[in-house]
Amino acid sequence: MRQAWISCRVFSAQSALLFAVFFLVQSVPGRSGSLSSYDPQANQLLARMTLEEKIGQMIQAESTGLIKISDIETYYLGSILNSGDADPPSGNTLEYWTEQYESLQKRTQYTRLKIPLLYGVDAVHGHNNVLGAVIFPHNIGLGCTRNPELVREIGRITAREVRATGIQWTFAPCVAVPQDERWGRTYEGFSEDPQLCALLGAAAIRGLQGDDLRSPYSILACAKHYVGDGGTLFGTSEDGRGLDQGDVRVDEETLRRIHLHPYPAAIQAGAATIMPSYSSWNGVKCSANRYLLTKVLKEELGFEGFLISDYNAIHQVHPDFKVAIGICVNAGMDMAMEPNRYREFFVYLKELVEEGTVPMSRIDDAVRRILRVKYAMGLMDKGYSLKANRRLQKEFGSEAHRRVARQAVRESLVLLKNKNQTLPLSKKAARIHVAGRSADNLGNQCGGWTITWQGQSGPVTLNGTTVLTAIRRTVSEQTLVTYSDDGKRAEGADVAVVVIGERPYAEGYGDRENLEISREDKRVIENVKKAGIPIVVVLFSGRPLILGEVLDQADALIAAWLPGTEGQGIADVLFGDYKPTGKLSFSWPKSMDQIPINLGDKPYEPLFEYGYGLTY
Ligand code: BGC
């Protein structure tokens, strides 16, 4: 059963080799120079700006949080975002997203300097807020592909779909190195292995930003959440019941070896923005940590782009908002994600400068960094179009984009068990029974950060193929495909495919103390078991779950992670059109008391080691 096991040490060596090969063939992005090469232009503009205009550039408000649309010009806002639950007021369509972008962008023309907005969204697995976009597997699945070229291609396509709505910035990739599966954001990370996170994080950045930031098909990437987001201790979240936004209690050597590791690669790949983490390091919020933001990131690692605070993160630093602003800006925060309280931010930061608490040199440094990026993006060019490139809309959610997502799905699947060669299935079987509440459920297949922030079960988006539909499309005309969500009525079928797993969740809400398969899912398998036929289990989850007896009951088991809209990729592997190639990017624990368990731990006796994955 463990023939495909690759020793941790061998695998890490392989990761390193992949890394070297990928970066030797890829030169540093052929942008029209380093970010600081735009300083002459940035400095000239800076010299003409008032304090108010500078502070405005440092603010990112939320489209739905704007008190008045004219605040864009009144406060000289530098940026706007739409977070996971913020749809355009007219509705969630490609056209309305585009119109919203254009109508807000237009407001900058009413300011003296007419500096265009950078507009950001969380396009973390495709342009996932917009109905009809292709939804790619979440990063955990991409980690199992071990395929940086593919991850780069996904970034390239995501950039084109985002640009189709005019938007030029995504808060991605997440280069967290999750160490504890109870964390609800585990799936946002590529791996528990820092090297794999560095390799794939850099590949994603190269795809999103392209060879040149100035290209109308590139968008800004944002490596997040700096630093240690994946290393928080269970029980250190604000409410003490989870780990999201909690505290990382490790020494500096460990912080650097595990959590900082992806950042030099991200910077080398050209990441123009980085988002400091909500979490703390030994009790100090990262957003307030001058050593981490300025000394390490900007001075030691030479990061020339700008830092964008996480959503309302500054408020967590001190109960007095004004004090919090002073601490964060002085620590090195360049732009503030202030969805609703941007007016106060504006007033307080101005006072802080006038009182001498925040030096003018810090404001200039922050604004220079923001302007560098705007120059590098071509936003400051004469004739920069404030309109979206509507020609790109033809390919939005297109078949060509879906083909790449389908490839990503099949490469991300990890075959954990295949007793008696249950897989691949025959397309000519007389009858296949499909069961489980996730078999025909696009929402469960896509997970969190899909149309809404937390995601939702059911037909969450337009277009997409569930596993049930994919199986129906793949089998021969003579094959009968039956379905029951509870696993009953499987008697007489040749084989059952049972699709189970987690319901969608995202940050905070996904923290869980118990990662066992739900009772409801176990019952489905028990029901199918009564039919006495071979069982193939397909598991949707944002992390390894405790399999318990499910592993014994299943004849074959595939970890499918959160594959997104292209369920056909699962049928490709189930029916042997493609052999499974995915390898675990996380160690798979036997029981809850083994968590956290990670590569390099001693003793290291997980159920399935890091790098495990069978094939046919
Ligand atoms: C998350 C970030 C995200 C931001 C904007 C925060 O709650 O931590 O990952 O980019 O919201 O939506």
Side-chain angles (χ1 to χ4, degrees):
M1 184 159 169
R2 308 220 154 186
Q3 72 264 32
W5 179 76
I6 301 170
S7 93
C8 320
R9 230 169 299 131
V10 175
F11 191 77
S12 272
Q14 280 194 347
S15 274
L17 188 69
L18 256 173
F19 192 88
V21 170
F22 190 67
F23 285 109
L24 285 178
V25 289
Q26 308 298 322
S27 57
V28 179
R31 289 184 283 115
S32 336
S34 67
L35 288 171
S36 58
S37 70
Y38 294 94
D39 281 1
Q41 295 99 303
N43 286 335
Q44 259 185 17
L45 182 54
L46 205 53
R48 294 171 49 212
M49 291 170 82
T50 62
L51 176 59
E52 288 82 355
E53 286 167 336
K54 290 176 185 174
I55 291 175
Q57 284 302 307
M58 293 172 67
I59 299 177
Q60 180 181 67
E62 180 148 32
S63 63
T64 51
L66 282 172
I67 300 159
K68 279 183 172 175
I69 189 171
S70 57
D71 281 357
I72 293 179
E73 62 263 26
T74 309
Y75 294 89
Y76 316 101
L77 299 185
S79 181
I80 293 285
L81 94 147
N82 275 55
S83 66
D85 276 337
D87 289 343
S90 332
N92 189 344
T93 67
L94 183 56
E95 189 46 36
Y96 288 144
W97 275 89
T98 313
E99 278 174 14
Q100 172 169 280
Y101 166 81
E102 289 175 345
S103 65
L104 300 184
Q105 185 65 281
K106 198 172 79 189
R107 305 298 303 201
T108 57
Q109 296 310 292
Y110 306 141
T111 60
R112 182 175 74 99
L113 296 170
K114 302 186 173 49
I115 303 172
L117 294 165
L118 274 174
Y119 202 118
V121 283
D122 290 284
V124 299
H125 60 148
H127 197 2
N128 43 250
N129 290 300
V130 185
L131 280 172
V134 58
I135 306 291
F136 292 95
H138 269 297
N139 285 349
I140 192 168
L142 299 183
C144 297
T145 71
R146 302 290 198 280
N147 187 345
E149 251 328 310
L150 176 63
V151 171
R152 186 161 76 158
E153 180 62 4
I154 290 170
R156 190 188 68 83
I157 291 173
T158 302
R160 294 177 78 90
E161 296 214 354
V162 170
R163 274 286 180 148
T165 53
I167 297 172
Q168 337 89 328
W169 186 10
T170 175
F171 308 121
C174 175
V175 294
V177 190
Q179 301 291 288
D180 186 327
E181 283 80 14
R182 290 170 293 185
W183 189 36
R185 303 189 82 155
T186 299
Y187 65 79
E188 293 189 50
F190 294 105
S191 175
E192 71 187 28
D193 174 16
Q195 293 202 37
L196 191 55
C197 293
L199 173 72
L200 299 183
I205 291 162
R206 288 170 197 272
L208 294 163
Q209 296 196 165
D211 291 335
D212 193 336
L213 273 177
R214 193 174 288 270
S215 157
Y217 309 114
S218 295
I219 58 173
L220 277 182
C222 179
K224 70 184 188 186
H225 311 80
Y226 178 82
V227 56
D229 49 348
T232 53
L233 200 68
F234 192 87
T236 60
S237 62
E238 292 284 306
D239 61 6
R241 282 189 279 146
L243 4 52
D244 197 46
Q245 309 186 7
D247 194 15
V248 187
R249 297 191 183 150
V250 297
D251 61 16
E252 183 162 350
E253 190 276 322
T254 311
L255 186 81
R256 284 177 178 262
R257 182 169 42 80
I258 299 175
H259 303 287
L260 185 70
H261 191 82
Y263 286 92
I267 293 168
Q268 160 90 13
T273 71
I274 291 179
M275 184 185 290
S277 183
Y278 282 123
S279 54
S280 305
W281 176 37
N282 292 326
V284 180
K285 286 275 179 194
C286 291
S287 309
N289 192 323
R290 186 167 192 302
Y291 175 70
L292 288 178
L293 304 191
T294 299
K295 286 276 162 211
V296 177
L297 195 55
K298 293 180 177 175
E299 292 175 9
E300 183 186 321
L301 299 183
F303 173 61
E304 294 184 342
F306 70 86
L307 297 176
I308 168 80
S309 65
D310 205 341
Y311 200 85
N312 279 328
I314 293 175
H315 302 259
Q316 299 185 352
V317 163
H318 194 280
D320 181 331
F321 187 29
K322 182 171 167 184
V323 176
I325 295 169
I327 294 173
C328 293
V329 173
N330 280 336
M333 197 70 81
D334 301 305
M335 188 184 274
M337 193 185 283
E338 281 301 326
N340 322 295
R341 293 179 67 185
Y342 57 89
R343 284 185 180 180
E344 285 161 82
F345 181 94
F346 184 92
V347 171
Y348 288 147
L349 185 53
K350 188 164 174 254
E351 285 174 12
L352 287 162
V353 176
E354 286 163 353
E355 290 157 9
T357 310
V358 173
M360 197 60 198
S361 56
R362 179 69 268 279
I363 300 292
D364 284 344
D365 173 52
V367 179
R368 185 180 302 112
R369 287 169 177 275
I370 293 163
L371 292 178
R372 274 175 186 168
V373 172
K374 290 192 173 184
Y375 276 107
M377 292 284 290
L379 259 66
M380 313 297 289
D381 292 355
K382 262 218 176 73
Y384 176 78
S385 173
L386 301 173
K387 298 254 178 200
N389 179 355
R390 280 192 163 66
R391 261 175 305 171
L392 277 174
Q393 297 189 347
K394 278 204 304 285
E395 56 182 83
F396 186 85
S398 65
E399 269 317 303
H401 290 180
R402 288 178 193 279
R403 263 198 301 280
V404 176
R406 176 172 168 180
Q407 177 194 348
V409 173
R410 59 183 180 248
E411 290 189 23
S412 67
L413 304 180
V414 182
L415 180 62
L416 294 176
K417 178 178 180 181
N418 194 16
K419 196 172 93 186
N420 303 330
Q421 296 176 330
T422 307
L423 290 175
L425 302 176
S426 166
K427 292 180 190 173
K428 295 193 183 124
R431 185 183 149 207
I432 297 175
H433 188 74
V434 180
R437 63 176 178 190
S438 291
D440 197 23
N441 195 318
L442 217 45
N444 289 0
Q445 199 171 296
C446 292
W449 296 104
T450 307
I451 309 305
T452 59
W453 176 42
Q454 296 289 326
Q456 62 195 72
S457 292
V460 67
T461 185
L462 314 170
N463 309 329
T465 310
T466 64
V467 179
L468 178 61
T469 306
I471 291 176
R472 288 201 164 122
R473 282 187 191 154
T474 309
V475 295
S476 68
E477 275 177 21
Q478 309 87 279
T479 305
L480 176 67
V481 177
T482 51
Y483 171 69
S484 63
D485 59 355
D486 58 6
K488 291 184 179 158
R489 301 184 303 284
E491 293 77 11
D494 300 73
V495 65
V497 177
V498 184
V499 190
I500 58 169
E502 293 187 299
R503 289 175 199 268
Y505 55 80
E507 50 184 313
Y509 296 87
D511 283 9
R512 227 152 264 168
E513 211 165 342
N514 183 356
L515 297 179
E516 284 172 21
I517 305 269
S518 73
R519 236 184 282 145
E520 186 187 341
D521 280 345
K522 286 184 180 167
R523 222 170 292 130
V524 179
I525 295 178
E526 277 154 24
N527 287 339
V528 175
K529 198 78 194 157
K530 289 186 197 138
I533 55 175
I535 300 180
V536 177
V537 171
V538 175
L539 178 67
F540 289 155
S541 64
R543 47 194 157 191
L545 298 183
I546 303 306
L547 295 173
E549 66 267 31
V550 169
L551 184 60
D552 302 321
Q553 290 165 331
D555 295 276
L557 196 144
I558 290 179
W561 314 110
L562 300 169
T565 45
E566 302 318 298
Q568 196 65 47
I570 297 174
D572 289 343
V573 169
L574 286 176
F575 292 94
D577 290 330
Y578 289 85
K579 291 182 178 161
T581 52
K583 306 287 175 213
L584 288 181
S585 61
F586 282 83
S587 307
W588 199 295
K590 280 185 191 139
S591 58
M592 279 317 295
D593 51 21
Q594 254 191 353
I595 294 177
I597 182 164
N598 292 295
L599 189 62
D601 284 357
K602 285 189 188 90
Y604 180 69
E605 290 160 353
L607 183 60
F608 298 107
E609 290 93 348
Y610 178 90
Y612 183 82
L614 304 171
T615 191
Y616 307 147

